[in-house]
Amino acid sequence: MDKNNFMRAAAALAEKNVADGTGGPFGAVIVRDGEIIGEGTNQVTRSNDPTAHAEVVAIRQACEKLGTFNLAGCEIYTSCEPCPMCLSAIYWARLDRIYFGNTKADAAAIDFDDNFLYTEIPKPIEGRAIPTEQMLREETIKSFDAWAVSETKIPY
């Protein structure tokens, strides 16, 4: 398969998801060495999981298939430019490259507007829409201290 066919696979997943009434118009595939190793569709409303975006579902599937949390050597093809959450997940998964079809402006035109999130992230904590408060750092820091000296940790 070539790049166009991988993008077509992601687009077909998105179209089928809409036709089946199982979620939003988003699909993604993860490819390694010319083979699809993970695929996902938007399953937010079907699973009552706000994190079940197509890219995250595809990442979870690929990681399970490969038995690793590190997808270096893989690429993702997604029917739409990733939202901030999915983009973060792609970086955490260490994917090598992102290919996308529709833009975030296209998504906003059908009421999937992520602009609020893009503008919220860089704000100082006290200026964000959801009130956020730091507390009990002297207690929560203990797990970080333990991690810092752990001989069994697996860095990621």
Side-chain angles (χ1 to χ4, degrees), residues 104-122:
K104 60 185 177 183
D106 296 327
I110 59 166
D111 297 326
F112 288 94
D113 191 355
D114 299 326
N115 192 52
F116 170 74
L117 296 173
Y118 284 107
T119 59
E120 191 75 359
I121 291 168

Side-chain angles (χ1 to χ4, degrees), residues 10 17 26-27 37 39 51 53 55 62-63 69-70 75-78 84 87 93 103 108-109 117 135 137-138 142 148:
N17 210 40
F26 304 97
I37 59 161
E39 61 181 40
T51 68
H53 290 200
E55 297 90 337
C63 288
F69 56 83
N70 187 330
E75 302 173 331
I76 189 166
Y77 293 78
T78 180
L87 186 59
T103 67
L117 296 173
M135 56 185 287
R137 183 178 181 274
E138 59 281 351
K142 292 175 185 176

Side-chain angles (χ1 to χ4, degrees), residues 27-136:
V29 298
I30 295 179
V31 175
R32 184 178 77 170
D33 298 329
E35 176 189 350
I36 294 175
I37 59 161
E39 61 181 40
T41 57
N42 178 284
Q43 298 177 15
V44 170
T45 56
R46 185 173 135 227
S47 65
N48 292 320
D49 178 355
T51 68
H53 290 200
E55 297 90 337
V56 172
V57 172
I59 288 168
R60 289 173 181 162
Q61 189 179 96
C63 288
E64 186 171 329
K65 180 174 183 171
L66 297 178
T68 183
F69 56 83
N70 187 330
L71 296 178
C74 301
E75 302 173 331
I76 189 166
Y77 293 78
T78 180
S79 63
C80 187
E81 185 175 358
C83 75
M85 177 186 69
C86 292
L87 186 59
S88 297
I90 288 165
Y91 274 91
W92 277 115
R94 310 292 193 267
L95 288 156
D96 289 357
R97 190 174 197 94
I98 303 166
Y99 298 96
F100 68 90
N102 299 312
T103 67
K104 60 185 177 183
D106 296 327
I110 59 166
D111 297 326
F112 288 94
D113 191 355
D114 299 326
N115 192 52
F116 170 74
L117 296 173
Y118 284 107
T119 59
E120 191 75 359
I121 291 168
K123 289 180 181 177
I125 289 172
E126 62 278 358
R128 292 182 184 163
I130 297 176
T132 305
E133 178 182 341
Q134 183 182 20
M135 56 185 287
L136 298 178

Side-chain angles (χ1 to χ4, degrees), residues 134-155:
Q134 183 182 20
M135 56 185 287
L136 298 178
R137 183 178 181 274
E138 59 281 351
E139 293 178 33
T140 60
I141 199 70
K142 292 175 185 176
S143 63
F144 280 27
D145 292 342
W147 175 263
V149 298
S150 173
E151 304 233 351
T152 59
K153 67 183 170 192
I154 300 171

